[in-house]
Amino acid sequence: MRARILQRLGERVASPGDLAVELGAPLGVVSYHVRMLRDYDCVELVRTEPRRGALQHFYKATARPTLDEGQWRTLPSGLRGELAGETIQELVTDLAAAADEGALEDPEVVLARTPLELDEKAFKKLNKLLAKTQEQVHAIAAESAARGTDGVFATELGLLHFKRAGNDS
């Protein structure tokens, strides 16, 4: 539930009530999970509005929906697992839709898989490089947004770096 809430708050500002309706979940459950995400600094309060004699709170994902290394490390392992699973599922869904539309036949598509053998120091060094790459990706997207909406199309970048199954370490 938290992964689904975080994903949606990364796309737009919403209240727990809005999210409850969209996710088909009880308001109390959604509110609880939004509070937990707020406590982990994953979402922040943007504004409040009076509604039917009470205040409705509106939230958004902090900075960007991608958590930095420090935020990721502070999350409980169960939430990290949920977020990873949700992200991978969304990536697979979007990839399948692109394949169905023939978008993967575009000669500009970048597709690479690189199995590696790394020690812990190299593993961490590569993770730092990927974090810097992610920062540059956001800067490039901001440059594009500043130029306006003419000729804009949706793309997706998926970066995965993980220890493969079967590792003894």
Side-chain angles (χ1 to χ4, degrees):
M1 178 62 66
R2 290 180 196 162
R4 294 170 65 201
I5 291 168
L6 186 61
Q7 186 264 331
R8 280 161 180 79
L9 292 177
E11 297 170 352
R12 69 182 191 295
V13 173
S15 71
D18 297 335
L19 295 168
V21 170
E22 184 178 330
L23 298 171
L27 176 59
V29 171
V30 172
S31 294
Y32 168 78
H33 289 297
V34 169
R35 278 193 306 275
M36 292 295 99
L37 289 167
R38 186 193 62 213
D39 290 348
Y40 292 124
D41 295 324
C42 295
V43 301
E44 65 185 4
L45 180 65
V46 175
R47 70 179 187 276
T48 57
E49 294 179 2
R51 290 275 164 92
R52 294 182 224 118
L55 284 179
Q56 190 171 24
H57 301 276
F58 291 83
Y59 295 89
K60 71 174 184 175
T62 54
R64 49 184 200 239
T66 305
L67 302 175
D68 66 30
E69 182 181 350
Q71 290 171 313
W72 183 256
R73 287 180 185 274
T74 62
L75 296 177
S77 62
L79 180 54
R80 283 195 307 266
E82 288 176 32
L83 292 172
E86 184 81 13
T87 299
I88 290 168
Q89 183 57 53
E90 290 170 9
L91 181 62
V92 168
T93 299
D94 291 349
L95 186 59
D100 289 346
E101 289 184 7
L104 300 182
E105 298 166 14
D106 184 334
E108 297 293 323
V109 167
V110 175
L111 179 64
R113 180 176 181 267
T114 311
L116 302 167
E117 299 290 329
L118 303 175
D119 63 10
E120 195 63 31
K121 184 176 180 179
F123 184 81
K124 289 180 179 182
K125 186 174 181 178
L126 182 51
N127 282 346
K128 286 183 182 181
L129 173 64
L130 294 174
K132 288 178 186 175
T133 300
Q134 189 75 1
E135 288 174 14
Q136 290 176 331
V137 164
H138 289 287
I140 291 167
E143 290 170 12
S144 176
R147 286 192 292 272
T149 57
D150 282 350
V152 172
F153 49 90
T155 73
E156 188 161 350
L157 171 67
L159 288 174
L160 298 170
H161 183 225
F162 55 94
K163 293 179 181 175
R164 293 190 313 251
N167 284 311
D168 295 335
S169 53

